[in-house]
């Protein structure tokens, strides 16, 4: 399970959701929150991960998410087994 809380969600709600997902996933399935990776990529490139007119992912946001997921899978190769 991968999550990214887009900028319009309140910080407290995002923290609660991450805590709930972490608890639900524990020992059952892998879970990562890519919010930090998205923020870092956005800061490094200056590109917004969402469109300025709404909270939908921009092309850059999709790239940032793909990179974060790739890095996670690369660090956890057992998840790539058939």
């Amino acid at each position: 399970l991968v999550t990214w809380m887009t900028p319009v969600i309140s910080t407290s709600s995002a923290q609660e959701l991450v805590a709930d997902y972490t608890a639900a996933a524990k020992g059952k399935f892998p879970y990562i929150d890519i919010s930090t990776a998205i923020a870092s990529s956005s800061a490094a490139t200056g590109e917004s991960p969402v469109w300025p007119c709404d909270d939908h992912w921009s092309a850059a946001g999709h790239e940032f998410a793909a990179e974060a997921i790739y890095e996670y899978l690369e660090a956890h190769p057992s998840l790539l087994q058939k």
Side-chain angles (χ1 to χ4, degrees):
L1 173 63
V2 177
T3 59
W4 168 45
M5 308 306 165
T6 56
V8 298
I9 192 167
S10 69
T11 301
S12 60
S13 295
Q15 290 170 343
E16 289 173 18
L17 286 172
V18 170
D20 289 346
Y21 290 143
T22 300
K26 194 167 191 159
K28 298 175 189 152
F29 52 87
Y31 166 66
I32 59 168
D33 172 30
I34 60 172
S35 298
T36 301
I38 298 273
S40 179
S41 294
S42 180
T45 64
E47 295 184 68
S48 174
V50 295
W51 294 113
C53 58
D54 64 24
D55 207 38
H56 288 91
W57 293 18
S58 65
H62 282 90
E63 290 289 329
F64 300 156
E67 183 65 28
I69 294 166
Y70 175 82
E71 288 176 6
Y72 181 82
L73 290 173
E74 191 173 51
H76 299 85
S78 64
L79 296 175
L80 300 174
Q81 297 181 41
K82 290 186 178 184

